[in-house]
Amino acid sequence: MSETTEHDLLDLLELEQVEEDLFRANVVFDEDFPLYGGQVAAQALRAAGLTVEEGRLPHSLHGYFLRAGDASRPTLFRVDRDRDGRSFSARRVVAVQRGEVIFSASVSFATPGDGLDRQGPELPAVTPPEDAVAWVVPRMFSMEVAIPPEDGVTAWPSRFWSRFTVPIGDDPLLNACAFAYLSDVSADLHRWDTSGFIPAASLDHAFWLHYPAPMDDWVFTDYTARSIAGNRGLYTGSVFDRSGRMFASVAQEALYRKLR
């Protein structure tokens, strides 16, 4: 379970509409670290989704973490309606604190359609969540995580089961926002020797939602380290539901800094 219990995920995703296409996240709390990036991404997706007609589902987000956020301050989200076509809607969102942009994102929504249905990666043969090792997730709300014992519990797990402990229901936008919150959990790039360097911050972040998935049921995240170059570490991931269907893909780049 999360160490933070004063609020839950649904509180974080409750946005006040200040004006048309302008929203504010009012839940604040004291924290010794910068605002968790997954929270900002989830709230940005929520704000964008509130400007899209019903029936269009979020299918991708491409975001940049520009400045450290402050969890003790409300965050404003300004949405630009770039386009509403016959099948797709495009939105741009900026998250603002103290008059400065801390996060920006492009988000796309689409009308569900029938057609090709193929999948490359498969759900690995791992211990099911009920028999996996519980892991406390610091600084996050309403989430429990279990790590396959064959992987070993590390500070930066690259494969894990997770689910939210609040009832999210069938709302596809809320479930997508819950996934955005989960998707910024850092992965393990320590397949290489990174001694003398630490991951300092997330830089850019992208995910694609292939299908809706209930995030209050167990899902499995499988990350793969791709590159560390120019002090930027890249990893990608596939996320599966309990049936083995890959419902999402993730890519993130993190900044590495030399220890002083």
Side-chain angles (χ1 to χ4, degrees):
M1 297 288 293
S2 169
E3 293 179 339
T4 306
T5 58
E6 184 179 354
H7 302 288
D8 64 31
L9 176 72
L10 299 182
D11 293 332
L12 297 182
L13 297 178
E14 186 67 33
L15 302 183
E16 174 193 0
Q17 183 165 359
V18 180
E19 294 182 12
E20 185 175 7
D21 301 339
L22 184 64
F23 303 87
R24 180 165 53 214
N26 291 313
V27 172
V28 297
F29 47 92
D30 290 327
E31 190 170 52
D32 295 331
F33 301 94
L35 185 61
Y36 169 56
Q39 175 179 326
V40 183
Q43 292 168 333
L45 177 58
R46 176 71 168 158
L50 292 174
T51 71
V52 175
E53 67 179 69
E54 187 176 352
R56 295 197 172 184
L57 308 183
H59 76 85
S60 69
L61 178 146
H62 299 256
Y64 289 88
F65 299 102
L66 304 176
R67 294 180 176 88
D70 184 349
S72 67
R73 299 182 64 88
T75 307
L76 281 172
F77 294 88
R78 186 179 69 245
V79 181
D80 288 325
R81 306 188 187 211
D82 285 355
R83 184 174 186 268
D84 286 304
R86 290 184 297 176
S87 301
F88 291 87
S89 292
R91 298 291 186 265
R92 281 177 296 130
V93 189
V94 293
V96 178
Q97 287 186 337
R98 294 190 178 93
E100 295 183 323
V101 176
I102 63 171
F103 176 76
S104 65
S106 296
V107 189
S108 183
F109 300 79
T111 303
D114 297 325
L116 288 172
D117 192 344
R118 305 287 187 271
Q119 177 176 320
E122 299 292 336
L123 176 65
V126 293
T127 299
E130 295 81 4
D131 300 321
V133 180
W135 185 57
V136 175
V137 188
R139 304 176 57 216
M140 295 183 69
F141 298 94
S142 309
M143 180 181 288
E144 57 182 350
V145 170
I147 299 176
E150 56 268 27
D151 285 9
V153 178
T154 69
W156 305 95
S158 57
R159 304 199 306 173
F160 56 90
W161 292 97
S162 63
R163 68 176 175 182
F164 286 94
T165 56
V166 291
I168 298 175
D170 298 328
D171 185 335
L173 177 58
L174 278 180
N175 279 283
C177 292
F179 174 76
Y181 188 79
L182 161 69
S183 68
D184 191 40
V185 173
S186 297
D188 186 5
L189 294 180
H190 297 165
R191 60 180 293 179
W192 301 293
D193 180 10
T194 58
S195 57
F197 289 82
I198 58 170
S202 299
L203 291 175
D204 54 345
H205 186 67
F207 62 78
W208 298 261
L209 290 163
H210 315 304
Y211 305 97
M215 296 302 295
D216 48 11
D217 193 7
W218 289 105
V219 300
F220 186 78
T221 298
D222 187 2
Y223 284 131
T224 301
R226 297 296 182 184
S227 169
I228 298 180
N231 291 340
R232 299 184 307 275
L234 174 69
Y235 59 86
T236 62
S238 302
V239 191
F240 305 85
D241 63 18
R242 285 292 296 264
S243 72
R245 183 175 66 172
M246 188 183 77
F247 71 89
S249 301
V250 183
Q252 178 154 302
E253 194 173 46
L255 178 66
Y256 276 69
R257 289 297 193 195
K258 184 175 292 187
L259 283 169
R260 295 183 179 179

